[in-house]
Amino acid sequence: MKTLATFLVLFLSLSLGAFAADCPKDQPKTEAALINLENTWADALSRKDADAVACLLADEFEDADVDGSLKTRAETLAHIPQRKPGINRLSEMRAHVEGDFGFTRGLAELVDASGKVIARVRFTDVWTYRDGRWQALAGHESLLSQASR
């Protein structure tokens, strides 16, 4: 049993290390880089690509969802394959960088296959520059009301 546990720990360590090695490195510390990462995130959600999103989220990432619930990194990633089909379209993007810290704000619209906007969400993401890349620490989404649509 002890051998199995040791093997599992070693396997997980190697797997996580290999996964982290695949994430982009040497990203610029610019507002444009953060906006590009938001677009990468939106595209990955549209494709239900949890691996691509995992590269963007710090281990301690936490998200305040539109319903007020808090989700950890693991919960956020686990939900991606169950997302409703649709394209995430971003607009009104703003970013700010201060040293190793940055944030982004924008408007995300979820558009179904017929082109109908099914949800509009105002979001803010907080980023840190660590290990040569930007990693999201926290996110917050607010669902816009019908009147705002």
Side-chain angles (χ1 to χ4, degrees):
M1 195 66 159
K2 185 176 180 183
T3 305
L4 178 60
T6 302
F7 173 76
L8 287 174
V9 168
L10 180 61
F11 175 76
L12 287 173
S13 297
L14 291 173
S15 297
L16 291 174
F19 178 75
D22 292 339
C23 294
K25 297 281 186 182
D26 301 319
Q27 296 172 332
K29 290 184 182 181
T30 64
E31 286 84 5
L34 288 179
I35 290 173
N36 184 48
L37 290 173
E38 288 292 353
N39 284 307
T40 298
W41 193 342
D43 291 343
L45 290 175
S46 296
R47 295 187 321 271
K48 299 183 182 186
D49 185 350
D51 289 340
V53 175
C55 276
L56 302 172
L57 305 184
D59 290 341
E60 65 272 32
F61 176 80
E62 194 170 61
D63 186 54
D65 207 347
V66 295
D67 64 3
S69 65
L70 294 176
K71 291 190 171 85
T72 64
R73 178 184 193 270
E75 292 166 333
T76 299
L77 294 172
H79 175 72
I80 291 172
Q82 287 81 40
R83 290 178 55 87
K84 292 180 181 176
I87 304 287
N88 288 287
R89 191 169 56 200
L90 302 183
S91 63
E92 300 180 24
M93 294 298 302
R94 293 187 201 131
H96 179 75
V97 172
E98 188 74 37
D100 290 340
F101 167 81
F103 68 87
T104 52
R105 284 200 181 110
L107 178 65
E109 293 180 318
L110 181 59
V111 182
D112 69 12
S114 72
K116 179 182 175 191
V117 175
I118 55 177
R120 294 179 74 224
V121 176
R122 177 81 53 205
F123 68 90
T124 301
D125 292 318
V126 178
W127 300 82
T128 188
Y129 195 84
R130 184 187 296 160
D131 300 326
R133 65 190 175 97
W134 287 106
Q135 297 176 45
L137 291 170
H140 185 272
E141 288 86 33
S142 297
L143 185 64
L144 298 182
S145 67
Q146 287 289 86
S148 299
R149 293 182 187 190

